[in-house]
Amino acid sequence: MASFPQTPQRPIPGQFLATPAIGNPKRQSLRQATSNAPQSVRALAERAIAQPGLGAVAPIPPPQPTLSPIQRAARTINETLIQEGRSPALEQYVGQGISSDYDLPHSPAWTPFQKTRVYEIPERIFEQYNQAQVSTIMGLLAELNHAWIAIDNCLYLWNYTLPDPELVGFEDQPNTITGVRLTRPRAGVFLASVTHLLIIATTSEIHLVGISTEPNPASGYSITLFRTQMNVSIRGMDVQVVEGSPSDGRIFFANRGDNDVYELTYQQEERWFSNRVGKVNHTSKGFHSLAPSITASFTNKTQEHIVQMVNDSSRSLLYTLSSKSTIRVFSIRPNGGLDLMIQKTLGSTLSYIHHMVSSTRLLGPSVPIVSISPITSQEASKLHLMATTSTGCRIFFSATAATAWGVAEASSAPTNMQVHHVRFPPTENSPDAAASTPNNQLTYPTNVRPVDSSSTTLFGTTSAKRYAPGYFVAIKTIPPQSTTDAVFLSAPESARIPRPQELAGTIRYHEYGNWLAIDSRAEDIGLISPPFSAAPTPTGFGNELAVQFDDPATEIAILTNTGIHTVRRRRLVDLFAAVLGYGTGHEGLELEIKRFISFYGRGEVCATALAVACGQGINVADYRTSRVTDPEVTSLARRTFVEYGGKATLDANAVVDQTLPIDSFIPSPRHDGLALYVSRLVRSVWKKTIVLESTTPTGGLTITPVVKLQKLQTIQSDLTKLQEFLNQNKTLIDGLSGPESLQQATNMQEEIALQAEHRALHSLVVLISNLIEGISFVLVLFDERVDEIILSLSAETRRLVQTLTFEALFSSPVGKDVAKDLVKAIVNRNIAKGSNVDTVAGALRRRCGSFCGANDVTIFKAQEQLIRASDAGPNSDHGRNLLNESLRLFKSVAGSLSMEHLQQAVEQYIGTSFFAGAISLCLLVAKGMDSANLALSWITDGRPAEDPRRSAFDSRQRCYELIHQILTSVDNSMQRGPAQIDGQPTMATRRRDEAYSQIDNSDDEVFQTDLYDWYRSRGLTDRLLEVRSPYIVNYLRRLSEETVADADLLWRYFAQSSRYFDAAGVQLQLAKSTFLLPLEKRIEYLSQAKANASTQTSGVGRQTRQLLVKEISDQLEVANIQGDILQRHASDDRHTDQSRAAIVDVLNGPILTLTELFNKYADGAGYYDICLLIYEEADHRNPNNIRATWSNLIRSEHEAAVEKRVTPWEAVAETVRKMGQRLHLSESTFPVPVLVPLLETYAAERQHNVGPSTWVMDVFLNIGVEHETLVSVLSAMFQDDEPSADGRNRRVISSHLLYVIGNWYSESMREGRTSLFGSEATARQLSEILESLPTNGLSRAEADQCRALITKIGRNARI
């Protein structure tokens, strides 16, 4: 088709026109005409939420985290559904005041209602009508597709949609029928098959007739009448008005002879104080209620009576309209009461209206109200009732309730009702104006018009009905032929109402209307389709666009005396399809599209064009309703979507610096239109769960779909058409056309905008694919025995299935996982029934491939091999081959193997004793779960609690837990029989060796770590000592930092592995650690460490060992010193119990430094011997400190011996002897030149003539002090005239010299040395010393002994 001619754009104030980019030759001029539309205006006006004060722009949300395409598309759908749910409530555009905004299109393409069919009244009805004697009345049971006619005492019903309908008659009563009404019965009174109740009023009785309905796809419903034997006498009354309450089944009626409200009561059986059927007068009592007609017979005045009753079940209200246009409001009480709450006379109504509008002949005392219609609480929270006058004015009433505090609850009955809004009839077009307007004439109504309060277009209105969300049907008698009526229909423009005509403007009440010629007298009006409801709350309730692809279009039936006319509300998609196909020429069509854009917005037009292109448009021609499939229309719709879709625009508020992130661009209206269309297709299922579980009376499980499968198939079909459309036209759509579209970008901003558009559109395309496959999966699920499938699931998966919504199935990973569990259950069930895996899986892949991919098929095949192996026997060659084949298949898809699949495979492998294969599979799956090896780094870092790497370890550990089960099974199998038979390993032994071979050869350090943890948790620590894995040492090293027992395990492992050097190092660290170890245990570790370090170890050099031995020895010496101090303090009586415990607690712990031991615990406590040991260990060589310490030691030992009453010299001698041994006769800390004078002085001054005279020398000689050293020291004392050598003490020194030299001589002779005293020079010196002794205080005997010794020395030494 040729392109449309270009039309110049009118410049918009404040618009910056973009520089044209390189055009696509495939594009036609239709796009060029609108490509420069102001995107900033669209962003403000089209994206604003329809609320009062709509000019404000919502704040820019913070940047969103990176989303996958599915998540982004799901978010878009949710945002779109939320936005559609915010369409204005009724009271937001029917505000307080007056209005008369109508558009009465002259073009048939724009008419809001379209006659779909005229059904003639059957000839048999006319035959019965010709026999009428008294009266004839007619009416509709529109919701059941039936009409009725009452001829005298007979009632006939017929399905008017059938060409030759069968008459269903009620003729079993003799009285003239005056009224018929259809309602719902009270629950529990009739059988469940009785779905409706037909109330038949006659001149004598009211009869209740039950109706059972059976859906008939071809003709609505088939009905069957049941006599209930329920009737109540109404003699003397003229009942023509009857109303039922569908919510509770109550029935109200009125008498033409009074203005009272009666109720027909009925119950299942008679009771003590109530009949089965009865009547109650709720407004009058006493005599008047018994004889209602008598009052009227004694007066000439016309009795005011009720002419209409309507019920509002949502608020439990009953409204009545009297013959004098008085409206009364009754509260329907749950206890069976009916209370009059409000009475609104015509005068009070008019007085309030006069405050809103000046005097008009359309409203006055002579203008009656001809009809009232309730407005439910779901539709409006403030508006309650609409009344229609004979001049066609609609009066909206708002009722309020009041309490003592002036605030009423929403559920309170109203006590006051005022006029809220007056809607005047349309200004132009008489009933025949549509016929007189040329077909090619188009009118464009202005946005704002003055209110016309004097239009007479609806003068003569006799009846009217209002149906949600505001469909208005008025019947008007056309003069001068009083036998002909005209019908006016109007509907709110729900697509246009949310769009203010100015950015700061208020929402206006826009209506489209049209006249319908019926050429006969209208008898009744009825709603065929279910009552409209786009949402359960006033906000969003009236959004017709949201449900135009979800719910059937509203249909209204109009009964006339010649037939039934059915009228269909045309959806926006139907209007757009009609406009495209109306044939107004290229230029006219372009104007019409622009008109659509100006009325409804570019995004809405794109959604509508897309719907038409996908075959959603419906047209009625020659009373036949069909989809619009005209290629020219669908082609124009496609071009509208492609060329009027706009571009992605920059959201300046989202730019914080010079960069242009992709998230700062708003997708195009084309994207918005696609999102709108998709969301409207799936809105009815998006948030609903998939399955509904219920139990049968016998306790069995029943699974039913929440959404009917036929509905799902319809949605899937529409989505498939949409997918095909996008695939066929993606080369023409910016964002889907591929990289070549980037060539059109002239700068970076345009390029990023195209990328943003592609990301947004691609996300929706991916979601559409998921939606189609997701619905296919649900259909597949319900093709199977879904109850058996769900029962086979685990408890957790079953719970997830119960709560799984379509949204989660379509767009969340959890939904995918649950679906795969269901697919697996389906396949397993079919395998159990003997079906072939390839056949079942192939069928699943064809219908829902993403739910059953190639990997899933491989898993199913592996499971099948497992089942066959179990049947063949695991010990047979064929069975083992099947097991190996299943293992190969499992390993090929290890990266996508779920834990549930793995667990089931392991359980089956255990059952077939295929332990090694099960372990290798678990190890492979675990490694694939953490390819980056994050778990190992987490373990190496000490397993921090709040660390994201923890999840990687947890995932792998679930696989390792399965290996634990396998090893337990392996161990159990070994306990059931011997390990060998006739010297040959049994099958169980070979399988055990194969299993442990897999473990020993595994290079998975994380697994080895987990395995060792498992050994320890089971108390199998000895197994760790037998492990020869390269990872065991690292494991034990990490473990050794936690507990003493674990550290013991490490050095034991080293010792058992002949790694003594390493064992010594661990023991040394244990002794130096901060573990709560007693000092004795630390000394034990050091002793063992010294022994291990001294043992030759392969690979460790001698020098290295010596260094370690030196360190251990030093530490051991310090520990021993600390142990001595600990014992001293523990037995020291100078301490209190508290101080002793405190000191012992410190000393019986970690090894302290020598400085701490000396300063804090030894020196101050007077433990001088220990101080000397500390000097020695610390290599302290200060002679003054050492001499003073020895002097203090000798003194303290003497005093202690005296206190204990023991021989002091013996105590001192023993102490010196022990210290010499512990100090190893150190020259620094055991200085003989210092100690000999000290002891000689001590012996001379404090132990004179006590004990042996030579005990001092004996002490030194006994501990191994060299004779030469003692002789040297004594000689020095003797020759240096020390104070101790004067007088008596000089004699003692001389005696000690003689004693030492004599002892030395005896020892030399015993040893048989070749040279006495080691050399002749020494012997000569000793002889010289001996020669000087007799004259220095020796006794006579000692002098003789000295001379004899000199002689011996001279003889033996040959000097």
Side-chain angles (χ1 to χ4, degrees), residues 343 417 510 519 606 638 790 984 1060 1139 1235 1260:
Q343 180 166 302
M417 187 168 70
H510 291 283
D519 299 325
C606 286
R638 173 186 60 80
I790 291 182
Q984 297 296 322
Y1060 302 110
S1139 63
L1235 292 177
F1260 289 108

Side-chain angles (χ1 to χ4, degrees), residues 120 274 368 505 653 674 713 763 766 813 843 846 899 908 1005 1012 1052 1056 1077 1154 1164 1352:
E120 296 181 352
S274 59
N653 292 327
L674 178 59
Q713 290 170 343
S763 298
V766 174
R846 285 192 300 272
M899 277 305 303
Q908 291 175 296
E1005 186 174 356
Y1012 305 150
R1052 286 175 58 198
Q1056 187 165 323
L1077 288 171
L1154 290 172
K1352 292 177 181 180

Side-chain angles (χ1 to χ4, degrees), residues 744-756:
Q744 302 178 29
T746 59
N747 52 48
M748 180 62 69
Q749 179 173 330
E750 291 185 7
E751 183 175 343
I752 298 176
L754 280 171
Q755 293 173 358

Side-chain angles (χ1 to χ4, degrees), residues 628-658:
V628 177
T629 57
D630 185 351
E632 184 175 356
V633 173
T634 56
S635 175
L636 289 173
R638 173 186 60 80
R639 291 179 56 197
T640 302
F641 175 77
V642 171
E643 301 182 13
Y644 280 86
K647 295 181 179 181
T649 56
L650 176 65
D651 184 358
N653 292 327
V655 180
V656 295
D657 51 24
Q658 297 301 319

Side-chain angles (χ1 to χ4, degrees), residues 1248-1264:
H1248 181 61
N1249 294 330
V1250 178
S1253 61
T1254 60
W1255 69 268
V1256 174
M1257 294 299 105
D1258 287 337
V1259 168
F1260 289 108
L1261 290 174
N1262 290 339
I1263 61 177

